[in-house]
Amino acid sequence: RVDRYGPVSKLSLFGTPTVLLTGPAANKFLFFNAALASQQPRTVQRIVGERNILELMGADHKRIRGALLEFLKPDMLRLYVGKIDGEVRRHLDENWAGSRTVTVMPLMKKLTFDIISLLLFGLERGTVRDALAGDFKHIMDGTWAVVPWDLPLTAFRRSLKASASARRVIAGIIRETKAKLERGEASRSSDLIACLLSLTDDSGARLLSDKEIVDNAMLSLIAGHDTSSILLTFLIRHLANDPDTLAAMVQG
């Protein structure tokens, strides 16, 4: 397309009027221009919810961003290393140990989902995590639907239904976490939901509403999944094809 129309051209993408920009100058214009706001395709907004950080601007964006960054502070992240290590060890014992051949990508997606579920929602293995995993698969199928029409038998319809189901699960987790916080059975560092529920403004009022927590938990679940699982897959592929690097890692 660039060869035919040059570095700037207009088209329709996912049913939306679009301008295609390419090259370093275009990147600088997009990412350093304060007048432009980043938005996801309409399909993502309908699936994730309109109160997620990618759809907000101004004071609301700053408030949500600050709340999410509380969860990502270094002292908070250090507390999660042990949980991640436990999930990885169980995953390797159950799916890799003793196997001559493994299919890496599906296993990395499973591992990533398990870790995200634990860190975001405090979900241990069980029926709730399994139900959320089933919903999540259908959610991802419709996220990039070329035709975002809510019609029977379409991937987008299945994704919307799965999103509604996942949101009910997360809303239930929020109610349970509130009760645990009140009883002293959970703390701000337990998981993302507990952290967001614990945040208050200067007047002592909760910083985020339940809907904002649900929408941004959904976004965190989706945004962190494929990026992490694909990166891990390519990492393992590189190690499989580079015995010197693998040996250095094992020795280290």
Side-chain angles (χ1 to χ4, degrees), residues 4-21:
R4 176 175 293 186
Y5 299 108
V8 181
S9 61
K10 294 190 294 184
L11 67 154
S12 178
L13 187 63
F14 296 109
T16 303
T18 304
V19 176
L20 173 67
L21 305 176

Side-chain angles (χ1 to χ4, degrees), residues 52-69:
N52 77 77
I53 190 173
L54 297 181
E55 301 296 330
L56 301 176
M57 292 182 287
D60 281 342
H61 181 277
K62 184 178 180 180
R63 175 172 54 86
I64 300 294
R65 182 173 181 273
L68 293 174
L69 287 176

Side-chain angles (χ1 to χ4, degrees), residues 62-80:
K62 184 178 180 180
R63 175 172 54 86
I64 300 294
R65 182 173 181 273
L68 293 174
L69 287 176
E70 284 292 322
F71 178 70
L72 297 173
K73 284 184 175 180
D75 57 331
M76 295 281 281
L77 294 177
R78 281 194 291 268
L79 299 175
Y80 307 135

Side-chain angles (χ1 to χ4, degrees), residues 87 113-114 117-118 123-134:
E87 283 291 332
F113 179 83
D114 288 345
S117 297
L118 183 63
L123 284 179
E124 302 287 348
R125 298 185 178 197
T127 55
V128 178
R129 185 194 279 190
D130 292 341
L132 189 60

Side-chain angles (χ1 to χ4, degrees), residues 87-100:
E87 283 291 332
V88 172
R89 290 177 183 275
R90 281 193 293 271
H91 175 86
L92 293 176
D93 288 342
E94 294 176 4
N95 299 283
W96 293 63
S99 300
R100 293 179 60 86

Side-chain angles (χ1 to χ4, degrees), residues 64 127 133 139 182 188 195 201 224:
I64 300 294
T127 55
I139 288 172
E182 291 173 357
R188 180 173 171 176
C195 178
D201 60 19

Side-chain angles (χ1 to χ4, degrees), residues 40-248:
Q40 297 298 300
R42 178 63 179 162
T43 51
V44 177
Q45 184 192 77
R46 292 188 63 186
I47 291 168
V48 175
E50 69 274 8
R51 296 298 296 174
N52 77 77
I53 190 173
L54 297 181
E55 301 296 330
L56 301 176
M57 292 182 287
D60 281 342
H61 181 277
K62 184 178 180 180
R63 175 172 54 86
I64 300 294
R65 182 173 181 273
L68 293 174
L69 287 176
E70 284 292 322
F71 178 70
L72 297 173
K73 284 184 175 180
D75 57 331
M76 295 281 281
L77 294 177
R78 281 194 291 268
L79 299 175
Y80 307 135
V81 173
K83 294 181 179 180
I84 296 173
D85 182 70
E87 283 291 332
V88 172
R89 290 177 183 275
R90 281 193 293 271
H91 175 86
L92 293 176
D93 288 342
E94 294 176 4
N95 299 283
W96 293 63
S99 300
R100 293 179 60 86
T101 304
V102 293
T103 50
V104 177
M105 175 65 90
L107 289 175
M108 287 301 98
K109 287 190 173 185
K110 181 179 185 302
L111 174 61
T112 302
F113 179 83
D114 288 345
I115 291 174
I116 291 176
S117 297
L118 183 63
L119 298 186
L120 296 191
F121 312 122
L123 284 179
E124 302 287 348
R125 298 185 178 197
T127 55
V128 178
R129 185 194 279 190
D130 292 341
L132 189 60
D135 291 332
F136 181 72
K137 180 182 183 303
H138 291 303
I139 288 172
M140 295 303 293
D141 290 342
T143 301
W144 296 102
V146 177
V147 183
W149 294 339
D150 186 6
L151 298 174
L153 305 179
T154 62
F156 189 58
R157 165 67 68 84
R158 290 192 298 272
S159 185
L160 289 176
K161 291 179 64 177
S163 173
S165 176
R167 296 173 73 85
R168 288 192 294 271
V169 172
I170 296 173
I173 294 171
I174 290 174
R175 290 192 297 271
E176 293 179 7
T177 304
K178 284 181 183 177
K180 289 180 179 179
L181 287 169
E182 291 173 357
R183 296 194 300 264
E185 297 174 1
S187 67
R188 180 173 171 176
S189 61
S190 296
D191 50 62
L192 176 66
I193 300 297
C195 178
L196 298 182
L197 285 172
S198 301
L199 298 177
T200 57
D201 60 19
D202 294 337
S203 65
R206 273 181 52 196
L207 196 62
L208 275 68
S209 67
D210 283 4
K211 177 172 175 49
E212 288 173 335
I213 294 177
V214 171
D215 286 0
N216 286 283
M218 287 282 291
L219 176 66
S220 300
L221 180 63
I222 293 173
H225 184 266
D226 276 8
T227 50
S228 300
S229 58
I230 291 171
L231 175 62
L232 289 170
T233 299
F234 277 109
L235 172 64
I236 293 172
R237 181 179 184 273
H238 174 74
L239 293 176
N241 294 326
D242 186 345
D244 292 338
T245 301
L246 177 60

